C-alpha cells in the first residue's frame, strides 16, 4: 500500500513537472510572438510615416516645378509679345534678355538646385552625384545671371541711361554678387579636398541659411524689377499704351508674373525649412562623401 502511494506521488510529480515546463515553453513562444508582432507593427508604422512624408514632399516639389515653369513661360511671353522680342544690339530688345535670364537663372534654376538635396529618391546612395548636379545647376544659374546683367548694362550704356541708381538695381546687383560668392565658397569648401571636415561641418549651416536668404533677395529683386518696368512702359502718353493704373493686359500679365514668383519662392523656402525633408545625416561609412579631387581617387 505504501509502495503504491509512493509510486502515485512520483507519477503526480512527473505530470506536474511536465505541465510546468510546457507552460514555460508556451509562455516563451507567446512572448516571442508578441515581440515579433510589435517589431513588425513598428516597422509598418515607420514605413507608413515615411511614405506619408515622401508623398507630402512630392506634392510641394511638383508644385515648385510647375510654378517655376509658369514663371519662365510668363516672362518669355511678356517680353516676346508685348516688349518686341529679343536682340543684342543695345536697343530695348536687348534689355528684354535681362528679365528672362534673371528669372530663369537666378530664381528658377537656383530654386530647383537648392531643393535638390531634399528629393528622397536615393537617400541611401552616395551624395557625390547630387553635389555635382547641385554645383552644375548653380553654375548655369550664375552664367545666365551674368549674361542678364551684361544685357541691361549694355542697353543702358547704349541709351545713355545711368546704371545702378534704383532700389531694384541695388538689390539685384547685391543678390548677384552674393550668389556668385556663395557658389565659389561652396565649390571651395564642399567639393575640393583642402578644406578639413570640421570646417565643412561648421560652414554647412551658414551655407544653407545663405541659400534661403538669397532666395528671398531674388524674390525682392524680381518683383521690384517687374514693378519698375511696368511703371516705365505703361505711362499712357506718347506710346499709345494705357496707363498702369487702368490695368491693361500687359499689366495683368506682369502682376501675375510677380505673384507666381512670390509663390514659387515661398514653396522653395517651405521645402528648405521642413526638417523632415532634409538629407539624413547618418550614412554608412562606405557611402559617405569624399571630395571631388581627393588624392586617393586620382
Amino acid at each position: 500500500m505504501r509502495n503504491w502511494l509512493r509510486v502515485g506521488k512520483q507519477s503526480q510529480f512527473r505530470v506536474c513537472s511536465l505541465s510546468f515546463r510546457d507552460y514555460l515553453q508556451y509562455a516563451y513562444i507567446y512572448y516571442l510572438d508578441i515581440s515579433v508582432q510589435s517589431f513588425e507593427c513598428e516597422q509598418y508604422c515607420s514605413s507608413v510615416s515615411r511614405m506619408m512624408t515622401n508623398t507630402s514632399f512630392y506634392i510641394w516639389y511638383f508644385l515648385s516645378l510647375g510654378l517655376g515653369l509658369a514663371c519662365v513661360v510668363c516672362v518669355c511671353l511678356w517680353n516676346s509679345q508685348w516688349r518686341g522680342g529679343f536682340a543684342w544690339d543695345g536697343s530695348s530688345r536687348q534689355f528684354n534678355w535681362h528679365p528672362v535670364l534673371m528669372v530663369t537663372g537666378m530664381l528658377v534654376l537656383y530654386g530647383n538646385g537648392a531643393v535638390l538635396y531634399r528629393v528622397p529618391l536615393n537617400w541611401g546612395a552616395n551624395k557625390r552625384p547630387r553635389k555635382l548636379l547641385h554645383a552644375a545647376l548653380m553654375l548655369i544659374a550664375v552664367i545666365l545671371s551674368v549674361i542678364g546683367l551684361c544685357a541691361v548694362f549694355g542697353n543702358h550704356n547704349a541709351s545713355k541711361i545711368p546704371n545702378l541708381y534704383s532700389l531694384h538695381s541695388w538689390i539685384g546687383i547685391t543678390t548677384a554678387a552674393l550668389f556668385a560668392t556663395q557658389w565659389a565658397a561652396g565649390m571651395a569648401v564642399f567639393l575640393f579636398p583642402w578644406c578639413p571636415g570640421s570646417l565643412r561641418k561648421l560652414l554647412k549651416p551658414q551655407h544653407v541659411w545663405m541659400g534661403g536668404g538669397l532666395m528671398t533677395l531674388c524674390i525682392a529683386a524680381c518683383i521690384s524689377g517687374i514693378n519698375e518696368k511696368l511703371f516705365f512702359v505703361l505711362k499712357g502718353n506718347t506710346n499709345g499704351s494705357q496707363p498702369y493704373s487702368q490695368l491693361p493686359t500687359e499689366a495683368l500679365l506682369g502682376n501675375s508674373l510677380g505673384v507666381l514668383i512670390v509663390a514659387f519662392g515661398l514653396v522653395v523656402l517651405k521645402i528648405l525649412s521642413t526638417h523632415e525633408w532634409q538629407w539624413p545625416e547618418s550614412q554608412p561609412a562606405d557611402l559617405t562623401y569624399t571630395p571631388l579631387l581627393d588624392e586617393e581617387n586620382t
Side-chain angles (χ1 to χ4, degrees):
M1 184 67 179
R2 291 179 180 177
N3 293 335
W4 181 83
L5 290 175
R6 188 180 299 112
V7 171
K9 291 181 179 180
Q10 291 177 355
S11 301
Q12 184 178 6
F13 177 76
R14 291 193 188 98
V15 172
C16 293
S17 177
L18 289 175
S19 299
F20 184 70
R21 285 199 301 268
D22 290 342
Y23 171 77
L24 291 179
Q25 290 176 357
Y26 285 129
Y28 181 68
I29 293 173
Y30 178 76
Y31 171 77
L32 289 179
D33 184 59
I34 292 296
S35 300
V36 170
Q37 291 181 5
S38 177
F39 176 76
E40 291 177 349
C41 182
E42 291 178 359
Q43 291 292 102
Y44 175 76
C45 293
S46 177
S47 299
V48 171
S49 177
R50 184 166 56 251
M51 182 180 66
M52 293 180 63
T53 300
N54 292 347
T55 301
S56 177
F57 167 82
Y58 280 115
I59 291 174
W60 286 94
Y61 180 65
F62 286 119
L63 179 60
S64 72
L65 292 179
L67 289 171
L69 179 61
C71 290
V72 174
V73 170
C74 281
V75 71
C76 291
L77 182 64
W78 177 25
N79 288 277
S80 61
Q81 298 298 319
W82 276 271
R83 295 292 97 216
F86 305 95
W88 200 271
D89 54 4
S91 66
S92 60
R93 292 191 300 165
Q94 177 175 328
F95 177 90
N96 293 340
W97 284 110
H98 175 67
V100 170
L101 294 175
M102 301 311 267
V103 170
T104 303
M106 202 164 64
L107 183 81
V108 176
L109 275 181
Y110 175 76
N112 282 280
V115 302
L116 187 63
Y117 285 112
R118 304 299 192 264
V119 181
L121 186 61
N122 56 346
W123 270 351
N126 198 308
K127 294 175 68 174
R128 174 177 293 181
R130 293 204 191 196
K131 281 183 177 283
L132 295 176
L133 182 58
H134 174 76
L137 286 176
M138 294 305 182
L139 177 60
I140 296 172
V142 169
I143 293 173
L144 293 180
S145 301
V146 171
I147 298 174
L149 291 175
C150 292
V152 68
F153 282 126
N155 168 253
H156 282 187
N157 293 335
S159 304
K160 308 301 182 182
I161 299 175
N163 293 308
L164 301 177
Y165 67 90
S166 65
L167 179 60
H168 161 68
S169 62
W170 288 12
I171 297 175
I173 200 67
T174 301
T175 305
L178 291 175
F179 188 16
T181 303
Q182 168 89 336
W183 180 83
M187 286 285 293
V189 173
F190 299 107
L191 281 181
F192 292 100
W194 51 69
C195 183
S198 58
L199 183 59
R200 292 178 190 164
K201 186 176 181 180
L202 177 65
L203 293 180
K204 181 181 176 182
Q206 282 68 37
H207 185 75
V208 175
W209 174 83
M210 180 61 73
L214 282 174
M215 174 56 62
T216 305
L217 288 175
C218 288
I219 297 171
C222 288
I223 60 177
S224 62
I226 292 170
N227 206 30
E228 181 180 286
K229 181 66 175 179
L230 290 175
F231 275 120
F232 282 162
V233 300
L234 296 180
K235 296 180 179 180
N237 46 20
T238 57
N239 57 7
S241 62
Q242 291 180 295
Y244 190 14
S245 59
Q246 294 184 8
L247 279 181
T249 306
E250 183 178 357
L252 290 174
L253 180 62
N255 289 351
S256 299
L257 174 60
V259 172
L260 288 173
I261 287 173
V262 172
F264 173 79
L266 291 177
V267 171
V268 169
L269 292 175
K270 162 67 178 177
I271 295 175
L272 293 177
S273 61
T274 302
H275 179 73
E276 291 79 6
W277 298 339
Q278 295 180 3
W279 184 288
E281 292 295 335
S282 57
Q283 296 290 338
D286 57 339
L287 295 178
T288 54
Y289 174 74
T290 55
L292 180 63
L293 299 180
D294 197 343
E295 295 180 356
E296 296 180 359
N297 297 328
T298 56

